Amino acid sequence: MLRFLTAGESHGPTLVGILEGMPAGLNLPEDAIDHDLRRRQGGHGRGGRQRIERDHVDFLGGLAGDVTTGGPIAMRIENRDWERQRKREQPVLTVPRPGHADLAGAAKYRLDDMRVVLERASARETAMRVAIGSVAKCLLREFGIVVAARVLEIGGVVADDADLSREDVRRRVEESAVYVADAHVEAAMVAAIDEARQNRDTLGGIVEVQAHGVPVGLGSHVHWDRKLDGRLAQAVMSIQAIKGVEIGEGFTVSRMSGTRAHDAIVPGAGRPERSSNRAGGLEGGITNGQPLVVRAAMKPISTTLTPMPSVDVRSGEAAEAIYQRSDICAVPAASVVAEAMVAFVLADAFLEKYGGDSLAEIRERFGT
Ligand SMILES: Cc1cc2nc3c(=O)[nH]c(=O)nc-3n(C[C@H](O)[C@H](O)[C@H](O)COP(=O)(O)O)c2cc1C
């Protein structure tokens, strides 16, 4: 139902996005999108690029005023770094950086200059994904579905926020330098990032996205490519540097017995309820009415101030990977990108079930 394309290079003039399939009649205030773009730029541990960029979305099509028309929504986010970079001669890159697409990308596209690969593989592209996810969140909010991300781990420092209310989590994540709700570990996470910087190294971590108010019946058990868990995993795994995806407590339950792992069904007010949510709101690839929980593991940033061993492909001789201006830790930013991708997949599944050409038509079907 919903699809999007992004285009643009990290140091090209602009990022472009087209989101197709949004119904007419949805209010899309630019400042709500920009708020998410600012969140993606933030978080302790980011590199110099974020001091240059002031990400802002320009809508180029698909809106009348602030309201969607039903046509494709075209968006642009300018790269301020472009002006600065194009004045400098960029040397040809022939030493592939470990952990990047450089070596395989240049072989695949028969490129002599690996910089061409770097420019498109870069996570700068995620700015547009966040804008698209932010639009998806606007649609979901109309139907009481709220998607929110936070950081659970950075460099092995683990947060414990299980006892906090949703409101406390929201407030604390917003105030936190590393988007973590557990105030007790925030300083330790910041210190771990500073230590990594001093050690000329980098860090990864784990993020979690939750969606509340999700109706029963999004996704389907009937065919592999309609299962919502599979669709979420693909979308979240497609984010640069994400190397593991977990639905609910997927990895923990693998170490439990069946009777402890599954969420018992108990009588409730009007319909059966659950005494736990280890399945993360999904059974058989269908939402079951519990909060949706998706976790993602991010590897440490690949570009390290301590040079990684590599090879100059021109000479075949050993060489050190070059340092490109880079983040030390981008786990907080990745949480915002994961939130965007989960929102996109949920909005897509929501439109499959309740879709219509306009918001008014969807409301009739949804029953609000
Ligand atoms: C928000 C975000 C920011 C990132 N920033 C950097 C960075 O500054 N330097 C870097 O080497 N990798 C960074 N990455 C990761 C790389 O883009 C990624 O590791 C690389 O393109 C190779 O892709 P892969 O790790 O998915 O295999 C970032 C990823 C995300 C999600």
Side-chain angles (χ1 to χ4, degrees):
M1 298 297 294
L2 264 190
R3 53 194 170 143
F4 76 82
L5 281 174
T6 71
E9 279 67 42
S10 179
H11 298 97
T14 191
L15 297 170
V16 175
I18 296 182
L19 174 62
E20 204 274 325
M22 287 301 277
L26 177 67
N27 194 45
L28 286 185
E30 248 177 36
D31 53 353
I33 317 293
D34 285 352
H35 175 72
D36 282 336
L37 292 177
R38 272 195 299 279
R39 289 171 60 223
R40 193 204 70 95
Q41 287 198 266
H44 191 70
R46 301 306 303 275
R49 176 83 186 258
Q50 304 314 322
R51 285 193 289 278
I52 297 164
E53 302 299 342
R54 299 273 177 283
D55 287 348
H56 161 72
V57 71
D58 285 314
F59 286 108
L60 305 176
L63 296 190
D66 277 352
V67 181
T68 57
T69 61
I73 299 171
M75 288 169 261
R76 172 180 63 196
I77 299 169
E78 284 187 355
N79 291 322
R80 287 168 59 129
D81 207 18
W82 180 63
E83 280 295 334
R84 299 160 57 110
Q85 292 285 333
R86 74 174 171 161
K87 290 184 188 130
R88 293 187 208 136
E89 193 63 33
Q90 295 295 332
V92 171
L93 181 60
T94 56
V95 180
R97 299 159 309 150
H100 280 282
D102 302 357
L103 184 59
K108 178 175 169 67
Y109 289 96
R110 300 192 187 183
L111 298 166
D112 294 329
D113 185 359
M114 293 173 187
R115 201 168 292 282
V116 177
V117 178
L118 170 163
E119 281 292 328
R120 182 60 192 161
S122 158
R124 174 70 188 148
E125 176 257 354
T126 62
M128 186 51 76
R129 295 207 219 184
V130 167
I132 285 161
S134 197
V135 173
K137 286 198 302 179
C138 288
L139 173 72
L140 295 170
R141 249 194 316 268
E142 291 288 328
F143 298 93
I145 305 168
V146 177
V147 187
R150 69 195 195 288
V151 168
L152 291 185
E153 266 189 61
I154 288 181
V157 180
V158 184
D160 179 7
D161 56 19
D163 294 339
L164 295 177
S165 69
R166 259 178 76 200
E167 181 46 34
D168 279 347
V169 168
R170 191 198 60 76
R171 190 173 42 78
R172 289 196 189 177
V173 168
E174 220 168 81
E175 290 165 357
S176 164
V178 283
Y179 304 178
V180 71
D182 178 358
H184 300 106
V185 297
E186 177 170 351
M189 285 181 175
V190 169
I193 295 167
D194 290 342
E195 197 185 327
R197 191 192 305 273
Q198 265 179 1
N199 294 340
R200 303 169 72 80
D201 217 327
T202 61
L203 292 180
I206 296 178
V207 304
E208 180 174 296
V209 183
Q210 292 194 2
H212 290 261
V214 182
V216 177
L218 304 190
S220 176
H221 63 286
V222 301
H223 201 243
W224 70 269
D225 56 356
R226 294 178 60 190
K227 287 171 184 269
L228 199 65
D229 42 9
R231 290 158 64 180
L232 285 164
Q234 194 280 328
V236 173
M237 187 69 97
S238 76
I239 300 168
Q240 289 83 340
I242 298 299
K243 296 298 150 191
V245 177
E246 182 181 31
I247 304 288
E249 294 180 25
F251 288 100
T252 305
V253 297
S254 72
R255 298 186 284 266
M256 291 178 167
S257 64
T259 50
R260 290 186 54 230
H262 298 293
D263 305 313
I265 302 173
V266 295
R271 63 171 192 187
E273 287 177 3
R274 304 296 178 127
S275 45
S276 57
N277 185 27
R278 282 189 278 275
L282 280 161
E283 286 167 313
I286 318 170
T287 54
N288 65 8
Q290 294 293 298
L292 192 85
V293 181
V294 183
R295 298 198 184 122
M298 184 182 201
K299 73 184 187 184
I301 294 290
S302 314
T303 308
T304 51
L305 267 163
T306 307
M308 288 286 292
S310 184
V311 166
D312 189 327
V313 293
R314 266 183 315 202
S315 64
E317 300 289 323
E320 287 183 342
I322 54 135
Y323 181 76
Q324 289 282 131
R325 186 189 51 201
S326 192
D327 299 327
I328 301 294
C329 172
V331 176
S335 74
V336 181
V337 184
E339 177 182 293
M341 292 309 287
V342 168
F344 171 78
V345 172
L346 268 184
D348 184 33
F350 181 84
L351 289 174
E352 268 165 23
K353 184 145 180 69
Y354 298 104
D357 297 321
S358 66
L359 218 60
E361 192 178 344
I362 300 173
R363 283 214 173 86
E364 285 165 19
R365 295 185 180 180
F366 189 69
T368 54

